[in-house]
Amino acid sequence: MKIGELAKRSGLSAHTIRYYERIGLLPYADRDAGGRRDYDESILVWIAFLDRLKTTGMPIREMLHYAALRAKGDHTGPERRRILEAHRDRVRTHLADLQACLLVLDTKIDTYVEAEKRTHSHDDTEHSCDGKPAGARSARA
């Protein structure tokens, strides 16, 4: 597939694809007779994996190291596994931190909700049964 179709299917821009290729995150594409990049369909799986690594916060330099090992072949599997395990540990720690932050946010939001309920409840008790504010004077005839 040509770079435009790869960009559309992967969600990356053509510029990003060329950049990733230049720095070594993507393998160099085959070229057609006209010298244009011609990507194999399998590149989409690799790009999706890189996107997951990026989304989970893996630094590009670590992604580059992983990609270089991948390019060297299957014998680098144990080292790639160790990289992914260490990254997984960092992701789990980050998730725990985010969950703790979410709990603080939920608690703070609940505090505001309760304060608003008290305010509305207080507003309702400030009116007498006839709908007039409590303590309002009647007009004298």
Side-chain angles (χ1 to χ4, degrees):
M1 86 184 84
K2 302 299 178 219
I3 197 167
E5 184 179 348
L6 179 60
K8 186 185 303 182
R9 292 179 64 184
S10 69
L12 297 175
S13 68
H15 175 77
T16 300
I17 292 168
R18 286 189 291 271
Y19 171 71
Y20 280 3
E21 194 175 286
R22 188 170 59 252
I23 66 171
L25 273 182
L26 295 179
Y28 284 105
D30 293 332
R31 302 288 178 143
D32 66 12
R36 292 178 299 268
R37 289 172 171 83
D38 191 17
Y39 295 93
D40 184 79
E41 188 98 6
S42 64
I43 196 75
L44 289 167
V45 175
W46 176 241
I47 290 173
F49 181 69
L50 290 173
D51 186 52
R52 298 225 189 261
L53 294 178
K54 181 180 175 187
T55 298
T56 56
M58 182 180 276
I60 285 190
R61 72 184 180 304
E62 195 170 343
M63 292 167 63
L64 285 168
H65 179 61
Y66 185 92
L69 289 170
R70 177 180 179 259
K72 288 181 181 178
D74 290 342
H75 70 280
T76 64
E79 188 173 352
R80 286 184 280 155
R81 178 184 47 81
R82 285 190 292 278
I83 290 169
L84 294 179
E85 287 171 342
H87 183 63
R88 180 184 60 195
D89 290 344
R90 290 189 303 271
V91 169
R92 284 182 173 155
T93 299
H94 186 62
L95 274 173
D97 291 344
L98 287 174
Q99 287 171 330
C101 291
L102 186 58
L103 180 61
V104 170
L105 289 173
D106 287 342
T107 302
K108 191 67 169 176
I109 290 167
D110 289 345
T111 302
Y112 287 120
V113 168
E114 290 302 316
E116 288 171 18
K117 285 180 184 176
R118 285 192 306 274
T119 301
H120 291 304
S121 174
H122 180 70
D123 288 347
D124 292 344
T125 60
E126 288 186 5
H127 295 289
S128 63
C129 294
D130 60 3
K132 295 180 182 171
R137 295 185 187 177
S138 307
R140 296 183 191 208

